[in-house]
Amino acid sequence: MPTPADRHAAAKRRQQRARLGWESFERLYDFPLDPFQVGACDVLSAGRSVLVAAPTGSGKTVVGEYAVHLALECGRRCFYTTPIKALSNQKYGDLTRRYGAERVGLLTGDNSINGDAAVVVMTTEVLRNMIYSSPASLDDLAHVVLDEVHYLADRSRGAVWEEVLIHLPERILVTALSATVSNAEEFGHWLGTVRGATDVIVEEHRPVPLWQHVLVGQHLHDLFVEDAQKVNPELLERARADIRRQPRDRRHRAGSRGYRAGGRPSRAGVVRRLDAASLLPAIYFIFSRKGCDAAVDQCLAAGVALTNQRERSEILAEAEGSCAYLPDEDRVALDYDHWLRALERGVAAHHAGLVPVFKEVVERLFQRGLVRCVFATETLALGINMPARSVVLEHLVKWNGEAHVDLTPGEYTQLTGRAGRRGIDVEGHATVVWHDGLDPVGLSGLASTRTYPLRSSFRPSYNMAVNLVAATGRERAAGLLCSSFAQYQADASVVGLSAEIRRNEDAMVGFAEAMRCDLGSFDEYAALREQVRAIERDSARRGRARRRLDVVEALGKLKVGDVVIIGRGRRSGPAAVVAPSHDTAESPRAMVVDLGRRARRISEADFPEGVTVVGRIKVPKDFSGRSATSRKHVAEELKDLPRDAAHAKPIVANESESEVAELRRRLRVHPCHKCPDREAHARWGERYHRMAKRTDGLRRQVAGRTGTIAKQFERICDILGSLGYLAEVNGQTVATASGQQLGRIYADTDLVIAECLRSGAWEDLAAADLAAVCAALLYEGRGRENQPRLPSGAVRAAIEDLLRTWDRVGELEAAHGLSTLPEPDLGLCWAMRSWATGMTLERVLWESDLAAGDFVRWAKQVIDLLRQICLAAPESKVGATAGSAAALVDRGVVSYTGVYG
């Protein structure tokens, strides 16, 4: 029975709601608000911040929309931040339809619409930049919504969320919306320490129940029986049967219609089964772009058609209207007709390789129920509003960029959380397609586990340091960083770290015994081997990009008659240059003839070990590559080369090689080198040293657990001070003019960029060349090319200078115990320069082997960096060039802004 205090509190809440227009807000929704939504809104009404952790599809964005409502009711402003531009665009469209275009703005880097509006939707990075560069714009700000705040665990971008939460003025209320995490209370307690009074509301109930299935052949089996307490025994028996008959029975069903080997239904067969069971629309997750595209092709080939004539007409109108700006040549490059043909049948792919306009059309049509099945990578699960009746997972393993790894419970929940549309479906359905090796017990663990903690990825950056020092001074800045969630978690983790150290030390005792050698100290011998490996790894990393440039330079200097050794492919061996390259805009491609009398163009990709001229032959002045006689003459000349010349290798000598040679000499004279069990001991030695390295790192973490973030900040400040970005003035650390310029550069390579700007290395670059250099500063390829195609001329010298600067900053970091720089990747330089000089999209994609969506995404990032350079160096020549370069890149399909209407 309610106490008098309870009744008084309830009456007070009713008064607050009435005063703040609660009833008018409640009428905006066609469903009654859940208790957790009402409770979170009451927190905001009472003037406190709130963290809401709830499942995907539960309606937690209602709380964020109430923050918008409160700000407007009070005549103040609200910023609604999201992690990705597509979600910002979508939210902008939603709020514009509700409140009108004059009251809502959008700031994403690509778009700047009505930025002074009462409600502004933006990416979190934009808000971070505003806090540093224009704090006055926050004066009338009452609320900030941080949608998808669990993104602060993201390795590359997560720090931005913590920066905002730490540095946003405490008077501003924060509405933090998160997916379900097991440590919401921990995160909420930290929020309370940095933001003031913050309530934590955790909701684990899904408003639309989710059923878990496994599709075996054409039969849907429930994963759980007996009220989700037990794994379906039919599935367990199927798993045991698969193990017993491998591989005897695989061929029996392979020939059956709609099936692949192992009795697994085809993708088209799965779609048809879902359609027959009234389980569409569906999102079919395939953790491969090529797999998604192939699935669409397979559905077309199988004649899958999920739409009627009226729906096809609507789809055609939407697609044609959205893509009307695309010229015919770009439509050809993007295979527009094929995309549209599948779309009209109700199927589509959705992944990062698609251009934004294609993805957005698919999203809108899916939301309208016109596209019935989308084959998607996991990127679709990142916040875009695309709920479905069903979600299908083809595998429970994905490629994370380095290895194939199992899905985590958090990832499984995020993906399957799309199933079940509130107000439309009475239940959602998550289906895993049976495949070899599927473990029903393991799947049940994924489906039922609720342990996925939020872990901070925060670390100070050079840009952050100069901005903080400029705003608060060095001492106060260090104190602010000590209040980060990363430091909060680091202090709490010491007990676990200490336990791991003890376990490692026990294991190392066993490793040391296993590698003991009667001839001498194998620990010493193993340490020498490890030194050799470490130096060679470091040398390879630092030398890879420079070797690429050296190869390009050497190819450009080849003359007629020079004989080189092609080091790769079926046509490796000696070849004679019969026509040099005269192309100055692209990588040099001389023509050669080989021993097989074949004439062809060579490129840097043919010389993974470098270019060496091993001799010269006479080439007739009237040589013609089309003449068999001419080619025969050159091949005969090649045969007369000395044999040792044909096997010559490029000579590259450096300090690391001489150091390695000395270490190898010491290895050879070491007593353990002659041990008959040397390699067996070595394997234990490798384990010992890996464990020792790991344990040393843990000890350093424990030793420095107090103030670890502040120590990183101090090292960064020391580097900035040594380079002149920070200086001591009257006993206070201040940002110099160079430091203020660095404060306007937001990129992982911020200090490298600032150093290049300060040196003047880019002052005389043409606009297209500067675009290529910026591509080198940003790009991270999905797979490392051995020899990326590179532009030549002035841009080559600029890239070479950039790599020297990169190495210098890296060495300075190493001397201070830091490592923040990514490895240089030159794989986008040629494509970006070519695009900036007017090359067609079709040719850029064809010759660079980039997916259209990837190219557009990276081009937009290059534009963003170029605009930062404009702001950082507004009165310099390079600033003007950067503006011109941004305009050159921002054309055609790249210029599409993607604003939801």
Side-chain angles (χ1 to χ4, degrees):
M1 186 171 179
T3 65
D6 293 335
R7 290 194 293 272
H8 174 74
K12 188 174 181 180
R13 284 195 297 271
R14 286 194 296 271
Q15 291 175 350
Q16 287 173 335
R17 290 176 186 169
R19 179 171 55 84
L20 296 170
W22 173 258
E23 289 186 2
S24 63
F25 175 76
E26 210 172 11
R27 285 196 297 270
L28 294 172
Y29 302 93
D30 55 6
F31 54 85
L33 298 187
D34 290 337
F36 89 90
Q37 295 168 321
V38 175
C41 292
D42 282 343
V43 171
L44 292 175
S45 297
R48 300 192 301 276
S49 294
V50 66
L51 165 66
V52 181
T56 301
S58 61
K60 54 183 174 287
T61 54
V62 167
V63 184
E65 290 163 0
Y66 185 64
V68 173
H69 169 82
L70 284 178
L72 293 175
E73 286 290 315
C74 300
R76 306 282 296 282
R77 301 182 77 198
C78 177
F79 289 168
Y80 196 112
T81 78
T82 75
I84 52 178
K85 294 174 184 177
L87 187 54
S88 292
N89 291 341
Q90 196 174 72
K91 202 67 199 176
Y92 169 74
D94 293 343
L95 294 175
T96 298
R97 284 187 288 273
R98 176 175 292 183
Y99 296 112
E102 71 283 354
R103 303 180 82 183
V104 183
L106 176 68
L107 297 173
T108 64
D110 290 344
N111 295 305
S112 179
I113 302 171
N114 200 16
D116 295 325
V119 180
V120 184
V121 183
M122 61 185 67
T123 51
T124 316
E125 281 85 355
V126 171
L127 177 55
R128 184 272 310 272
N129 299 354
M130 290 173 68
I131 291 172
Y132 288 146
S133 62
S134 54
S137 62
L138 310 179
D139 288 347
D140 204 28
L141 186 62
H143 288 268
V144 165
V145 180
L146 293 174
D147 204 352
E148 310 281 350
V149 74
H150 52 274
Y151 258 73
L152 67 78
D154 184 79
R155 285 186 301 172
S156 60
R157 298 176 54 221
V160 175
W161 273 257
E162 286 190 56
E163 285 185 75
V164 167
L165 287 166
I166 293 170
H167 306 311
L168 197 68
E170 192 172 322
R171 60 178 172 77
I172 298 169
L173 294 185
V174 167
T175 302
L177 308 178
S178 170
T180 306
V181 292
S182 57
N183 62 335
E185 288 78 9
E186 178 194 33
F187 182 49
H189 186 269
W190 171 74
L191 281 174
T193 65
V194 295
R195 304 289 326 150
T198 303
D199 287 25
V200 179
I201 293 182
V202 178
E203 175 62 32
E204 294 190 352
H205 172 73
R206 281 179 52 94
V208 180
L210 179 64
W211 292 93
Q212 305 280 345
H213 309 290
V214 178
L215 180 62
V216 183
Q218 286 290 301
H219 301 287
L220 272 175
H221 297 263
D222 290 338
L223 175 60
F224 296 106
V225 294
E226 299 179 7
D227 298 324
Q229 298 298 311
K230 184 179 178 183
V231 178
N232 190 331
E234 292 183 21
L235 296 175
L236 295 173
E237 177 54 34
R238 170 64 190 245
R240 287 191 288 267
D242 276 2
I243 294 172
R244 286 195 299 267
R245 66 170 172 255
Q246 286 182 352
R248 174 174 53 84
D249 192 46
R250 289 188 178 178
R251 62 181 177 275
H252 291 317
R253 292 186 182 176
S256 302
R257 186 175 179 180
Y259 284 81
R260 291 178 286 180
R264 182 175 184 175
S266 67
R267 290 158 176 164
V270 173
V271 173
R272 284 196 169 112
R273 178 68 182 86
L274 295 174
D275 190 24
S278 299
L279 293 179
L280 296 179
I283 300 172
Y284 195 131
F285 284 109
I286 301 171
F287 303 123
S288 156
R289 297 180 184 184
K290 289 182 179 179
C292 292
D293 294 336
V296 172
D297 293 341
Q298 290 156 14
C299 286
L300 285 177
V304 171
L306 307 174
T307 55
N308 57 37
Q309 187 57 50
R310 177 190 59 79
E311 291 168 334
R312 291 189 195 106
S313 297
E314 290 187 49
I315 289 169
L316 182 63
E318 174 71 36
E320 285 290 321
S322 298
C323 300
Y325 77 98
L326 286 174
D328 289 343
E329 63 180 17
D330 283 5
R331 292 188 182 213
V332 171
L334 299 172
D335 207 359
Y336 173 83
D337 290 341
H338 178 77
W339 171 74
L340 184 59
R341 188 162 62 252
L343 208 60
E344 288 182 291
R345 289 175 172 265
V347 296
H350 189 290
H351 54 69
L354 296 175
V355 291
V357 65
F358 281 14
K359 286 195 292 185
E360 291 175 14
V361 168
V362 171
E363 291 160 12
R364 289 198 291 270
L365 291 174
F366 192 85
Q367 290 161 17
R368 290 166 57 184
L370 295 172
V371 168
R372 308 281 289 161
C373 184
V374 169
F375 297 97
T377 56
E378 71 271 24
T379 54
L380 187 145
L382 303 180
I384 298 297
N385 181 27
M386 281 182 65
R389 181 167 295 166
S390 299
V391 163
V392 178
L393 275 72
E394 186 168 86
H395 282 289
L396 299 177
V397 173
K398 70 171 188 175
W399 176 257
N400 68 358
E402 298 176 357
H404 286 95
V405 296
D406 293 333
L407 285 184
T408 66
E411 290 167 335
Y412 182 88
T413 301
Q414 182 82 358
L415 295 169
T416 57
R418 292 285 177 185
R421 298 164 296 177
R422 186 167 189 172
I424 302 175
D425 301 315
V426 295
E427 58 191 26
H429 299 267
T431 298
V432 176
V433 180
W434 187 273
H435 52 272
D436 289 343
L438 178 63
D439 175 15
V441 176
L443 174 58
S444 70
L446 285 178
S448 58
T449 299
R450 293 292 177 265
T451 304
Y452 14 91
L454 188 63
R455 296 296 180 204
S456 172
S457 60
F458 180 81
R459 60 176 175 81
S461 68
Y462 296 104
N463 167 279
M464 184 194 305
V466 293
N467 279 312
L468 280 177
V469 169
T472 68
R474 184 165 176 171
E475 185 175 345
R476 177 164 166 71
L480 283 170
L481 294 179
C482 278
S483 66
S484 67
F485 189 44
Q487 185 61 60
Y488 182 90
Q489 290 189 311
D491 291 342
S493 67
V494 170
V495 173
L497 291 175
S498 298
E500 186 176 351
I501 289 171
R502 288 194 299 273
R503 289 194 299 271
N504 290 356
E505 288 173 339
D506 289 342
M508 287 166 63
V509 171
F511 295 164
E513 178 60 29
M515 72 172 176
R516 190 175 61 82
C517 179
D518 294 336
L519 298 180
S521 170
F522 207 91
D523 182 24
E524 182 182 87
Y525 183 78
L528 288 172
R529 287 175 61 136
E530 178 60 30
Q531 277 185 271
V532 171
R533 277 194 294 271
I535 293 171
E536 288 177 339
R537 280 196 304 268
D538 185 61
S539 178
R541 183 188 70 79
R542 291 181 176 277
R544 192 176 299 126
R546 183 163 287 107
R547 282 199 301 274
R548 293 169 184 163
L549 293 172
D550 291 341
V551 168
V552 171
E553 183 178 32
L555 288 176
K557 294 179 179 179
L558 290 178
K559 299 175 182 177
V560 173
D562 284 346
V563 177
V564 294
I565 304 299
I566 296 174
R568 164 172 293 168
R570 291 180 290 111
R571 300 177 182 178
S572 60
V577 177
V578 294
S581 172
H582 298 292
D583 195 337
T584 58
E586 303 177 7
S587 299
R589 295 193 166 202
M591 179 179 283
V592 299
V593 170
D594 59 23
L595 288 171
R597 305 180 187 179
R598 294 174 292 254
R600 66 184 183 95
R601 293 280 179 184
I602 55 173
S603 70
E604 58 267 29
D606 293 304
F607 299 92
E609 301 298 329
V611 179
T612 300
V613 176
V614 298
R616 287 187 58 80
I617 65 169
K618 292 188 66 175
V619 177
K621 290 184 179 180
D622 58 351
F623 175 86
S624 170
R626 297 180 179 179
S627 167
T629 302
S630 294
R631 297 197 303 272
K632 178 181 177 182
H633 174 81
V634 172
E636 291 295 331
E637 289 280 324
L638 275 176
K639 289 180 181 178
D640 294 334
L641 272 179
R643 180 167 298 184
D644 58 344
H647 295 282
K649 293 288 184 182
I651 298 173
V652 181
N654 53 46
E655 292 180 10
S656 65
E657 287 191 352
S658 61
E659 188 176 357
V660 167
E662 171 58 21
L663 288 169
R664 290 192 183 280
R665 185 195 66 76
R666 291 170 60 188
L667 279 171
R668 287 193 299 271
V669 300
H670 195 283
C672 293
H673 191 68
K674 297 179 180 179
C675 177
D677 298 322
R678 182 183 68 198
E679 293 309 311
H681 291 164
R683 286 192 291 273
W684 287 107
E686 288 171 10
R687 294 181 186 181
Y688 180 91
H689 283 282
R690 279 199 302 269
M691 185 70 78
K693 185 177 180 181
R694 164 70 179 163
T695 306
D696 286 344
L698 294 174
R699 290 193 186 103
R700 286 194 296 271
Q701 288 182 50
V702 171
R705 77 185 191 279
T706 303
T708 52
I709 302 298
K711 289 175 183 176
Q712 289 180 326
F713 173 73
E714 290 299 332
R715 291 167 184 164
I716 283 174
C717 287
D718 288 344
I719 290 175
L720 293 174
S722 70
L723 293 174
Y725 292 94
L726 296 177
E728 294 295 319
V729 177
N730 298 325
Q732 297 292 323
T733 305
V734 299
T736 63
S738 296
Q740 292 168 13
Q741 184 177 69
L742 170 59
R744 302 186 191 102
I745 301 294
Y746 300 92
D748 287 345
T749 52
D750 48 8
L751 184 55
V752 176
I753 296 167
E755 284 288 274
C756 291
L757 285 174
R758 191 167 64 165
S759 72
W762 299 343
E763 285 291 326
D764 296 323
L765 282 179
D769 291 347
L770 183 58
V773 172
C774 286
L777 286 156
L778 295 171
Y779 183 62
E780 294 178 23
R782 301 183 75 233
R784 298 289 185 187
E785 298 178 58
N786 287 318
Q787 297 287 353
R789 191 171 184 181
L790 294 172
S792 56
V795 67
R796 183 211 178 280
I799 292 173
E800 189 171 34
D801 179 79
L802 169 65
L803 292 175
R804 284 194 294 269
T805 303
W806 205 303
D807 278 350
R808 182 165 51 82
V809 172
E811 290 165 2
L812 192 58
E813 284 192 339
H816 285 78
L818 288 173
S819 178
T820 72
L821 286 177
E823 185 178 343
D825 191 330
L826 309 180
L828 186 66
C829 297
W830 179 89
M832 195 55 57
R833 188 188 183 283
S834 299
W835 177 254
T837 55
M839 184 177 285
T840 65
L841 179 65
E842 182 176 23
R843 187 178 172 196
V844 168
L845 298 181
W846 175 262
E847 299 202 21
S848 64
D849 198 28
L850 286 165
D854 288 334
F855 175 73
V856 170
R857 185 174 69 257
W858 287 112
K860 286 180 177 290
Q861 291 191 37
V862 167
I863 292 168
D864 185 51
L865 178 54
L866 288 166
R867 289 172 177 165
Q868 290 179 38
I869 292 172
C870 288
L871 295 174
E875 298 178 1
S876 69
K877 185 178 177 181
V878 72
T881 304
S884 301
L888 291 176
V889 177
D890 194 17
R891 66 178 178 89
V893 70
V894 173
S895 65
Y896 175 68
T897 55
V899 179
Y900 282 82

